[in-house]
Amino acid sequence: MDVLFQLGVFITLLFLGYVFGRRAEARHYKTIRMRERAFRKIVVLNERFPPPHLCQHQSTMVCGNVVVSVDYFKVVVAGLRSLVGGRMTSYESLLDRGRREAILRMQNEAKNLGAEAVINLKFETSQISGQAGQGLGSIEVLAYGTALIPVIPE
Amino acid sequence: MSNYPSENPQLPEDINISTSHPLKDFLVLLVGVGCIVGLLVLSISLLATYLSPLVPFSWEHQVLESWQQPAVDEPYQQEFERLLRVFKLVEKQSELETDMTLHIHHMDSEIPNAFATLGGHIFVTQGLLSQVQSDTGLAMVIAHEIAHVKHRHPIQALSRGVLIQLVMAVILGDNGMANSLISPSGTMLALKFNRDMEYQADETAVAIIKRSFETLDGADEFFRIALEEHGSSGWSDVFQTHPDMAARLVRIRQALK
């Protein structure tokens, strides 16, 4: 009886994780693709120095930060995968979403400042684990860079 | 600058993420890991069945050495004496290995049950003593438990249970569970014998009874009452630890003829 109850809870969590996690991911990817197209003109480079024709631009730091939670289904799939090894596809999409969303938020900030480009792009990432590493974790991705803003001649 | 990009590139989607359906990945993993765990459990069960009887019986004593029969309450004294008398009668005919020693215990519980555990300790509850009136019927129950000890069922069940739980704890990464397994509290008394063990114990018990008594009338008393009382309170416990009571009664009756 006890075992059945635990199994029921497990399957319910798995089902909820799958349904809501997958829906959230599909929606997120849709907006990511849409905004990436919209921000294509704000060029993001990992060059440390500005290209010569932008050397006269003002520079300032811009950053974008995002925290994405993992869902129960992804945790279970990853747990099974960690027993046998191989591509952790369930976490790959999570991190991909995090990185792209962080860049988009950074680009958004750059756009609000009137920047033409962002150089020296860098990432920081960290993991937020719930309940002292026992529960579901989240990932944080921070993207930051130097925005180049054209100086308006007086 | 001619080589300076005018806009960000549009990268293909399937570089960083897999395009295969997550459920497919999950099912493949589930079936694969399930098969491996199943094979592991099966081989552990077989190992426990064939190797644990090789563990010297004296080792079992060390685990449950300190178990002392508490003083039996005054109203039950007579029942306890009857239990001891029948037990001694059956023990004589049980043809145990020389290093095996048995200990009978009276349990102050109204739930009719009897069980055998490590170290040759056999427990019979007050509930069973008051239900089973005939000595032959009581002897059959005791002989059944002695047969479990004789065939080394407690250590087989324990080895299998602990090993399987240990494997599960390792797979699920639950260290707290693995630690609690090692402590001898609780779990040792609730050893689960499987169907084959019960049949084997019944068979041996009938043989012991045939050697101990001239008439076999009432040897199936406990099983008969258990089946009749099935569903009434207190008896459900017996059916949880001893399934297939009906099938066993048929077999016992055949063997008694």
Side-chain angles (χ1 to χ4, degrees):
Chain A
M1 204 58 212
D2 202 32
V3 176
L4 275 182
F5 178 72
Q6 281 182 0
L7 197 70
V9 169
F10 173 74
I11 290 172
T12 311
L13 284 175
L14 199 69
F15 179 74
L16 289 178
Y18 176 72
V19 170
F20 288 100
R22 196 155 160 77
R23 214 168 68 160
E25 186 157 289
R27 275 188 189 168
H28 193 195
Y29 265 124
K30 207 173 152 190
T31 72
I32 285 174
R33 285 190 203 105
M34 202 181 72
R35 284 179 296 157
E36 273 178 353
R37 276 196 297 277
F39 287 149
R40 277 188 76 184
K41 290 286 176 192
I42 300 169
V43 176
V44 179
L45 297 170
N46 52 8
E47 284 285 332
R48 285 173 64 204
F49 301 105
H53 69 287
L54 299 176
C55 270
Q56 300 303 313
H57 281 40
Q58 250 185 7
S59 64
T60 182
M61 193 181 93
V62 283
C63 56
N65 184 39
V66 66
V67 179
V68 193
S69 172
V70 67
D71 61 64
Y72 196 77
F73 180 77
K74 281 183 190 295
V75 173
V76 171
V77 174
L80 286 173
R81 178 55 80 189
S82 69
L83 292 175
V84 291
R87 266 182 81 173
M88 277 221 183
T89 49
S90 68
Y91 283 171
E92 280 176 354
S93 61
L94 189 79
L95 282 159
D96 183 58
R97 276 160 66 196
R99 279 190 300 265
R100 286 163 80 172
E101 178 68 37
I103 293 178
L104 283 168
R105 289 183 184 184
M106 184 192 74
Q107 280 177 307
N108 195 31
E109 195 188 332
K111 193 190 174 196
N112 291 344
L113 294 170
E116 277 181 19
V118 179
I119 59 165
N120 204 7
L121 170 74
K122 291 209 162 64
F123 282 113
E124 296 280 338
T125 180
S126 65
Q127 176 203 332
I128 303 164
S129 53
Q131 298 162 21
Q134 293 288 309
L136 302 182
S138 311
I139 52 149
E140 184 214 21
V141 181
L142 168 70
Y144 58 100
T146 308
L148 300 176
I149 306 159
V151 183
I152 301 152
E154 297 194 16
Chain B
M1 279 293 287
S2 58
N3 62 349
Y4 179 75
S6 62
E7 55 185 14
N8 288 312
Q10 265 192 315
L11 300 171
E13 284 289 333
D14 57 353
I15 293 181
N16 289 325
I17 55 170
S18 157
T19 46
S20 74
H21 200 277
L23 271 185
K24 190 185 147 202
D25 198 29
F26 174 64
L27 286 177
V28 168
L29 281 169
L30 197 68
V31 171
V33 172
C35 283
I36 293 169
V37 170
L39 275 175
L40 211 61
V41 166
L42 193 72
S43 50
I44 284 173
S45 296
L46 287 175
L47 275 178
T49 310
Y50 292 109
L51 290 184
S52 50
L54 301 176
V55 174
F57 190 76
S58 55
W59 290 16
E60 287 188 25
H61 267 303
Q62 289 169 13
V63 181
L64 273 183
E65 199 178 22
S66 56
W67 203 292
Q68 292 295 327
Q69 165 73 48
V72 177
D73 287 346
E74 188 59 40
Y76 304 140
Q77 197 61 45
Q78 207 181 339
E79 294 279 34
F80 182 54
E81 274 160 21
R82 175 180 163 231
L83 175 65
L84 281 181
R85 180 167 52 78
V86 176
F87 169 71
K88 281 191 181 126
L89 193 73
V90 178
E91 190 189 21
K92 247 182 260 169
Q93 297 300 330
S94 53
E95 295 176 353
L96 295 176
E97 311 257 332
T98 43
D99 64 335
M100 277 193 190
T101 46
L102 297 172
H103 308 268
I104 188 86
H105 302 275
H106 174 272
M107 254 182 117
D108 189 7
S109 162
E110 283 310 306
I111 296 165
N113 208 351
F115 51 91
T117 186
L118 294 181
H121 292 271
I122 293 166
F123 295 82
V124 179
T125 63
Q126 177 56 39
L128 188 135
L129 287 176
S130 44
Q131 288 280 348
V132 180
Q133 297 296 326
S134 72
D135 282 0
T136 341
L138 179 60
M140 179 66 199
V141 172
I142 296 173
H144 172 88
E145 303 305 334
I146 291 178
H148 275 315
V149 175
K150 188 178 175 173
H151 294 301
R152 306 296 303 275
H153 289 163
I155 191 134
Q156 284 178 25
L158 181 78
S159 310
R160 180 188 332 194
V162 168
L163 281 174
I164 288 171
Q165 285 193 57
L166 200 64
V167 167
M168 289 302 168
V170 170
I171 289 173
L172 301 174
D174 190 348
N175 291 324
M177 198 164 98
N179 287 335
S180 68
L181 284 176
I182 314 299
S183 72
S185 61
T187 51
M188 292 216 175
L189 290 178
L191 294 172
K192 272 209 154 176
F193 301 133
N194 63 28
R195 192 182 312 187
D196 289 337
M197 288 175 173
E198 296 296 349
Y199 286 152
Q200 196 187 11
D202 282 340
E203 212 172 286
T204 311
V206 170
I208 295 173
I209 292 297
K210 279 181 174 168
R211 287 196 293 269
S212 318
F213 292 89
E214 281 173 5
T215 70
L216 298 174
D217 291 342
D220 58 354
E221 187 181 358
F222 175 71
F223 299 89
R224 191 167 42 76
I225 300 173
L227 273 180
E228 279 167 12
E229 300 283 326
H230 187 135
S232 62
S233 67
W235 283 90
S236 56
D237 265 39
V238 181
F239 283 87
Q240 280 203 344
T241 51
H242 295 89
D244 307 308
M245 204 65 103
R248 283 175 57 197
L249 184 60
V250 174
R251 278 176 174 234
I252 289 169
R253 281 185 175 152
Q254 270 174 358
L256 284 172
K257 273 173 197 165

